[in-house]
Amino acid sequence: QVQLVESGGGLVQTGGSLRLSCTASQTIFSYNSMGWYRQAPGKQRELVAIIYSGGSTSYANSVKARFTISRDNDKKTMHLQMNSLKPEDTAIYYCNVDLVAYGLGLHWGPGTQVTVSS
């Protein structure tokens, strides 16, 4: 069972930056994708950024050119660099690993709160 833990959330002013990290409990050698999602109060969870096993990435339109997803070579850690933060980025951010193709299902972290003050 893969366990994920997010870190790096916090309170930041508009225009500021945060770097989120997601660390897995074990090395992940094979996966379909790793991603960051967020859920604001009263809203559905939405995809923020995703990186596929081949290295390609995709972003929600609302964060393009501001956020960057990356993964470490240790195959256990993923990051989300968030720049030019806006109040509408306030949400709980969750990391996700898709191991469905390998029979190991989807895995989520407990989330980390990001609050952007105006």
Side-chain angles (χ1 to χ4, degrees):
Q1 180 78 3
V2 176
Q3 295 182 330
L4 304 174
V5 177
E6 303 92 343
S7 61
L11 173 65
V12 65
Q13 291 185 333
T14 296
S17 298
L18 284 173
R19 187 180 191 229
L20 304 184
S21 297
C22 173
T23 302
S25 57
Q26 62 193 71
T27 302
I28 302 175
F29 292 101
S30 300
Y31 60 95
N32 181 52
S33 66
M34 302 177 74
W36 287 96
Y37 293 72
R38 67 186 182 188
Q39 187 167 17
K43 295 187 177 180
Q44 290 188 331
R45 190 173 297 190
E46 63 175 354
L47 174 65
V48 175
I50 192 168
I51 183 166
Y52 295 95
S53 58
S56 61
T57 59
S58 182
Y59 296 89
N61 287 334
S62 59
V63 306
K64 280 182 180 177
R66 298 190 298 124
F67 290 11
T68 303
I69 188 172
S70 63
R71 59 187 177 187
D72 288 351
N73 291 332
D74 65 358
K75 301 185 186 298
K76 293 180 64 175
T77 311
M78 174 176 64
H79 303 284
L80 183 68
Q81 178 66 43
M82 306 186 295
N83 298 328
S84 302
L85 283 162
K86 304 175 182 180
E88 50 263 44
D89 294 319
T90 295
I92 299 174
Y93 284 69
Y94 301 89
C95 66
N96 162 279
V97 174
D98 181 353
L99 303 174
V100 172
Y102 304 93
L104 299 175
L106 293 174
H107 299 268
W108 293 90
T112 186
Q113 176 71 47
V114 171
T115 302
V116 184
S117 63
S118 57

